[in-house]
Structures are given as C-alpha cells and as structure tokens.
Amino acid sequence: AVVSTQSTGDRTVIVTMLHPSSHEFSLLDRVCLMAEGNIAFLGKAIEAVKHFEAMGSTLPSFINPVDHFISELTVKSVTQSEDEERIESFINFYKDSTLYKQMDQRISH
C-alpha cells in the first residue's frame, strides 16, 4: 500500500525484492529479472510468464512465478554447466526479443 501511494502521479518507484510472494508479484507493474549479472527479462510483470513460455519454460500449475523464474535462472552446483547454458539461452532469448529492442530504443532516444 505504501508503494502504491508513492507511485501516484509522475513518480517512478523502484523496489528491490529478493523473493516476493505470488501476491506481491501480481502487484508489480514491471520487473527486471537478472541472472549472472545480465538481464534475462525486463518488462511488464504480467508478460514475464509469457516470455518464459515462449522460451519453452512453462509455469507449472500452482507454482509462484517467482519460484519458477528463480529455478530457471539459478546455477545449481550438481548441474552447473547445463544450468549455465540454460541461463545463457534465457539471456540471449531476451536480447533477441522485441521487448529488448523496444527498451533499447527508448533508452537510446
């Protein structure tokens, strides 16, 4: 509630959340998901699930989207090389996306 009252008008409010609940995630307008110091997704929160699904990463039923994103964008020591390849694929998929090109164009102007 505090964030929503601060964001009225022409203010931009930036919040860093380590692991928001599914309810908290649903309240976000835009999200930036990062992995290995790179942006894996930047855009409307509601579009994040669709973006991951376009990559072949379907959100399982009854799973918090944040848990799913963390699972997809985290290196586990047992499968490190496979995880690093998967994460790199997500990063490259975002860099090749229309979302990235639109964001890059807005920043450049």
Side-chain angles (χ1 to χ4, degrees):
V2 173
V3 173
S4 64
T5 60
Q6 293 298 312
S7 65
T8 58
D10 60 350
R11 292 183 185 166
T12 298
V13 177
I14 298 173
V15 178
T16 302
M17 301 176 90
L18 178 59
H19 193 162
S21 68
S22 55
H23 174 70
E24 292 165 335
F25 182 78
S26 73
L27 299 175
L28 301 174
D29 294 324
R30 299 176 61 79
V31 296
C32 178
L33 303 175
M34 298 186 72
E36 303 291 310
N38 295 286
I39 296 174
F41 177 81
L42 173 63
K44 294 180 180 178
I46 198 164
E47 296 293 325
V49 172
K50 293 177 188 174
H51 180 78
F52 273 67
E53 286 178 346
M55 181 70 194
S57 175
T58 305
L59 176 66
S61 298
F62 308 111
I63 297 293
N64 179 347
V66 176
D67 290 335
H68 182 64
F69 301 146
I70 290 171
S71 176
E72 289 295 311
L73 299 175
T74 301
V75 174
K76 295 128 188 120
S77 60
V78 177
T79 57
Q80 183 174 352
S81 62
E82 292 173 17
D83 293 341
E84 289 171 346
E85 288 177 22
R86 184 187 66 252
I87 291 167
E88 187 175 338
S89 295
F90 277 103
I91 292 165
N92 290 334
F93 186 77
Y94 174 70
K95 286 181 179 178
D96 291 337
S97 73
T98 303
L99 287 169
Y100 177 84
K101 291 176 179 92
Q102 290 171 345
M103 183 265 313
D104 189 48
Q105 200 169 34
R106 281 187 295 221
I107 290 172
S108 299
H109 289 95

